[in-house]
Amino acid sequence: MTFAARENAGIGQTEVLMRIVPGGGGTQYLRERVGRNRALELLLTGDLVDADTAAAYGWINRAVPAADLDAFVDTVAEKIAALSPEVIAAAKQLVPPADLTDSLRAENDAWVGLVSGDLPAKLMTSALEHGVQTPAGERDLESVMRDIAAAL
């Protein structure tokens, strides 16, 4: 389950701005949550979306006001913790995750093929030089990466 603060969340798969695709299941889990068309929109634009859009797409469970987020998550956890372990296990068994083994292998192969090229290394080096690993850089990741890519 995933929840985000309505006022300040920015969620995205911005790897395409570095000329690579997401790894670690990013493409596959995204498709499972939002469907193929929306996954392609998010993957191919590299756009950040707000919490309300992410919730409407099904990427997250719910957008919650930032002031209420911790209490909301605590309440969800308390409700689950109050259930018997047998009920929790049965629910998880009845709603199993998809078997993404083949898709995850294909994603990894695509990622390796792209990340080993010259351009992603240049983009990533330049991104680090422009502070994308800092809080300010992460808040403006999309714009910073678009500017760097345009300059190369």
Side-chain angles (χ1 to χ4, degrees), residues 14 22 48 76 80 83 98 124 128:
T14 58
L48 295 177
V76 169
I80 294 169
L83 299 172
M124 288 179 212
L128 290 172

Side-chain angles (χ1 to χ4, degrees), residues 10-34 38-50 54 59-60 107 111 141-142 145-146:
I11 305 166
Q13 293 287 176
T14 58
E15 290 87 347
V16 296
L17 302 176
M18 291 182 280
R19 304 306 189 254
I20 61 173
V21 294
T27 61
Q28 301 309 299
Y29 298 122
L30 183 61
R31 184 191 68 217
E32 285 293 310
R33 288 184 175 187
V34 305
R38 286 184 171 149
L40 287 171
E41 171 194 343
L42 295 165
L43 291 168
L44 295 175
T45 64
D47 288 344
L48 295 177
V49 297
D50 58 61
W59 199 349
I60 64 171
E107 177 192 81
W111 183 86
L141 179 65
E142 182 183 15
M145 291 308 302
R146 289 186 196 286

Side-chain angles (χ1 to χ4, degrees), residues 17-134:
L17 302 176
M18 291 182 280
R19 304 306 189 254
I20 61 173
V21 294
T27 61
Q28 301 309 299
Y29 298 122
L30 183 61
R31 184 191 68 217
E32 285 293 310
R33 288 184 175 187
V34 305
R36 184 176 187 274
N37 290 345
R38 286 184 171 149
L40 287 171
E41 171 194 343
L42 295 165
L43 291 168
L44 295 175
T45 64
D47 288 344
L48 295 177
V49 297
D50 58 61
D52 287 318
T53 302
Y57 278 20
W59 199 349
I60 64 171
N61 291 64
R62 190 180 303 209
V64 179
D68 301 335
L69 184 59
D70 288 342
F72 181 83
V73 172
D74 287 346
T75 299
V76 169
E78 289 166 3
K79 288 177 180 179
I80 294 169
L83 299 172
S84 72
E86 296 82 11
V87 168
I88 296 169
K92 288 181 177 181
Q93 185 177 15
L94 293 168
V95 186
D99 181 357
L100 301 175
T101 304
D102 292 337
S103 297
L104 291 170
R105 283 190 186 115
E107 177 192 81
N108 184 66
D109 292 346
W111 183 86
V112 168
L114 291 169
V115 80
S116 61
D118 291 337
L119 185 55
K122 289 177 186 176
L123 286 165
M124 288 179 212
T125 298
S126 185
L128 290 172
E129 290 168 355
H130 285 83
V132 296
Q133 76 283 12
T134 66

